[in-house]
Coordinates of all heavy atoms in Angstrom, one line a residue:
Chain A
G15 N 6.1 -13.1 7.2 CA 6.3 -14.3 8.0 C 7.6 -14.3 8.8 O 7.9 -15.2 9.6
G19 N 9.4 -8.4 15.7 CA 9.5 -7.5 16.8 C 8.2 -6.8 17.1 O 7.1 -7.0 16.5
F30 N 7.7 18.7 6.7 CA 7.4 19.3 5.4 C 8.2 18.6 4.3 O 7.7 18.3 3.2 CB 7.7 20.8 5.3 CG 7.6 21.4 4.0 CD1 6.3 21.4 3.3 CD2 8.7 21.8 3.2 CE1 6.2 21.9 2.0 CE2 8.6 22.3 2.0 CZ 7.3 22.4 1.4
W31 N 9.4 18.2 4.7 CA 10.2 17.5 3.7 C 9.5 16.2 3.3 O 9.5 15.8 2.0 CB 11.6 17.2 4.3 CG 12.5 16.5 3.3 CD1 13.3 17.1 2.3 CD2 12.6 15.1 3.2 NE1 13.9 16.1 1.6 CE2 13.5 14.9 2.0 CE3 12.1 14.0 3.8 CZ2 13.9 13.6 1.6 CZ3 12.5 12.7 3.4 CH2 13.3 12.5 2.3
R33 N 6.3 15.5 3.5 CA 5.1 15.8 2.7 C 5.3 16.2 1.3 O 4.6 15.7 0.4 CB 4.3 16.9 3.4 CG 3.8 16.5 4.8 CD 3.7 17.7 5.8 NE 2.7 18.7 5.3 CZ 2.6 19.9 5.8 NH1 3.4 20.4 6.6 NH2 1.6 20.7 5.3
D36 N 6.5 12.9 -0.6 CA 5.3 12.2 -0.9 C 4.6 12.7 -2.1 O 4.3 12.0 -3.1 CB 4.5 12.2 0.4 CG 3.2 11.4 0.3 OD1 3.3 10.1 0.3 OD2 2.1 12.0 0.2
K45 N 2.1 13.6 -14.1 CA 2.8 14.1 -15.3 C 3.3 13.0 -16.3 O 3.9 13.3 -17.3 CB 4.0 14.9 -14.9 CG 3.7 16.1 -14.0 CD 3.1 17.2 -14.7 CE 2.8 18.4 -13.8 NZ 2.1 19.5 -14.6
W51 N 3.6 2.1 -10.5 CA 4.2 1.9 -9.2 C 5.3 0.8 -9.2 O 6.2 0.9 -8.4 CB 3.1 1.5 -8.1 CG 2.4 2.6 -7.6 CD1 1.1 3.0 -7.8 CD2 3.0 3.7 -6.7 NE1 0.9 4.2 -7.1 CE2 2.0 4.6 -6.5 CE3 4.2 3.9 -6.2 CZ2 2.2 5.7 -5.7 CZ3 4.5 5.0 -5.4 CH2 3.5 5.9 -5.1
R55 N 8.7 0.8 -7.1 CA 9.1 -0.4 -6.2 C 10.4 -1.0 -6.7 O 11.2 -1.3 -5.8 CB 8.0 -1.4 -6.3 CG 6.6 -1.0 -5.7 CD 5.7 -2.1 -5.8 NE 4.3 -1.6 -5.4 CZ 3.2 -1.6 -6.2 NH1 3.3 -2.2 -7.4 NH2 2.1 -1.1 -5.8
Y71 N 11.7 5.8 5.4 CA 10.7 5.5 4.3 C 10.9 6.5 3.2 O 11.0 6.2 2.0 CB 9.3 5.5 4.9 CG 8.2 5.1 3.9 CD1 7.9 3.8 3.7 CD2 7.5 6.1 3.3 CE1 6.9 3.4 2.8 CE2 6.4 5.7 2.4 CZ 6.2 4.3 2.2 OH 5.2 4.0 1.3
E73 N 13.3 8.7 2.7 CA 14.6 8.8 2.1 C 14.7 7.7 1.0 O 15.4 7.9 0.0 CB 15.7 8.5 3.2 CG 15.9 9.7 4.1 CD 17.0 9.5 5.2 OE1 17.0 8.3 5.7 OE2 17.7 10.4 5.5
E93 N 24.1 16.9 -12.5 CA 23.4 18.1 -12.0 C 22.8 17.9 -10.6 O 22.6 18.8 -9.8 CB 22.4 18.7 -13.0 CG 21.3 17.7 -13.5 CD 20.4 18.3 -14.5 OE1 20.6 19.5 -15.0 OE2 19.7 17.6 -15.2
R97 N 23.8 20.0 -7.3 CA 22.8 20.7 -6.5 C 22.9 20.2 -5.1 O 22.7 21.0 -4.1 CB 21.3 20.5 -7.1 CG 20.3 21.2 -6.4 CD 20.3 22.7 -6.7 NE 19.4 23.5 -5.8 CZ 19.8 24.4 -5.0 NH1 21.0 24.9 -5.0 NH2 18.8 25.1 -4.2
Chain C
D15 N 11.1 23.1 7.8 CA 11.2 22.2 8.9 C 12.3 22.8 9.9 O 13.3 23.4 9.4 CB 11.7 20.9 8.5 CG 10.6 20.1 7.7 OD1 9.4 20.2 8.1 OD2 10.9 19.5 6.6
S21 N 20.2 15.1 6.1 CA 20.9 13.9 5.6 C 21.1 13.9 4.1 O 20.5 14.7 3.4 CB 20.0 12.7 6.0 OG 19.0 12.6 5.1
E24 N 17.9 13.3 2.2 CA 17.0 14.5 2.3 C 17.4 15.6 1.4 O 16.6 16.1 0.7 CB 16.9 15.0 3.8 CG 16.2 14.0 4.7 CD 16.3 14.4 6.2 OE1 17.3 15.0 6.6 OE2 15.4 14.0 7.0
D32 N 14.1 20.9 -6.6 CA 14.7 22.1 -7.2 C 14.9 21.9 -8.8 O 14.5 22.7 -9.5 CB 16.0 22.6 -6.6 CG 15.9 23.0 -5.2 OD1 14.7 23.2 -4.8 OD2 16.9 23.1 -4.5
E44 N 1.8 24.0 -8.2 CA 1.3 22.6 -8.4 C 1.7 21.6 -7.2 O 0.9 20.8 -6.8 CB 1.8 22.0 -9.7 CG 1.2 22.6 -11.0 CD 1.8 21.9 -12.2 OE1 3.0 22.3 -12.5 OE2 1.3 21.1 -12.8
E53 N -3.6 15.9 1.7 CA -3.9 16.1 3.1 C -5.4 16.3 3.3 O -5.9 16.3 4.4 CB -3.1 17.2 3.7 CG -1.7 16.7 3.7 CD -0.6 17.5 4.3 OE1 -1.0 18.8 4.6 OE2 0.6 17.2 4.4
Y95 N -6.7 5.2 -8.8 CA -6.4 4.4 -10.1 C -6.4 2.9 -9.9 O -6.6 2.1 -10.8 CB -5.2 4.9 -10.8 CG -3.9 4.2 -10.4 CD1 -3.3 3.3 -11.3 CD2 -3.4 4.3 -9.1 CE1 -2.2 2.7 -10.9 CE2 -2.3 3.7 -8.7 CZ -1.6 2.9 -9.6 OH -0.5 2.2 -9.3
S117 N 3.9 -1.0 0.8 CA 2.9 -0.3 1.7 C 1.7 0.1 1.0 O 1.1 1.1 1.3 CB 3.6 0.9 2.3 OG 4.1 1.8 1.2
R121 N -5.2 5.0 -0.2 CA -4.9 6.4 0.2 C -6.1 7.3 -0.2 O -6.4 8.2 0.4 CB -3.7 6.8 -0.4 CG -2.4 6.2 0.3 CD -1.2 6.7 -0.3 NE -1.0 8.1 -0.5 CZ 0.1 8.8 -0.1 NH1 1.1 8.2 0.4 NH2 0.2 10.1 -0.3
S138 N 5.7 -8.1 8.6 CA 6.2 -9.5 8.7 C 5.3 -10.3 9.5 O 5.1 -11.5 9.2 CB 7.6 -9.4 9.3 OG 7.6 -8.7 10.5
R142 N 1.5 -14.1 9.6 CA 1.9 -15.3 10.3 C 1.2 -15.5 11.6 O 0.8 -16.6 12.0 CB 3.3 -15.4 10.6 CG 3.8 -16.7 11.2 CD 5.3 -16.7 11.3 NE 5.7 -18.1 11.3 CZ 6.8 -18.6 10.8 NH1 7.7 -17.8 10.2 NH2 7.1 -19.9 10.9
E169 N -2.3 -4.1 -8.2 CA -2.9 -2.8 -8.2 C -4.3 -2.9 -7.7 O -5.3 -2.4 -8.5 CB -2.7 -2.1 -9.5 CG -1.2 -1.7 -9.8 CD -0.5 -1.1 -8.6 OE1 -1.0 -0.4 -7.8 OE2 0.7 -1.4 -8.5

Side-chain angles (χ1 to χ4, degrees):
Chain A
F30 174 64
W31 182 85
R33 293 153 66 197
D36 183 69
K45 302 282 179 183
W51 277 110
R55 294 184 188 119
Y71 186 81
E73 284 179 326
E93 58 188 350
R97 184 72 191 124
Chain C
D15 292 318
S21 79
E24 286 170 337
D32 290 349
E44 287 179 285
E53 292 179 357
Y95 89 112
S117 53
R121 287 179 51 136
S138 58
R142 182 173 205 147
E169 293 315 325

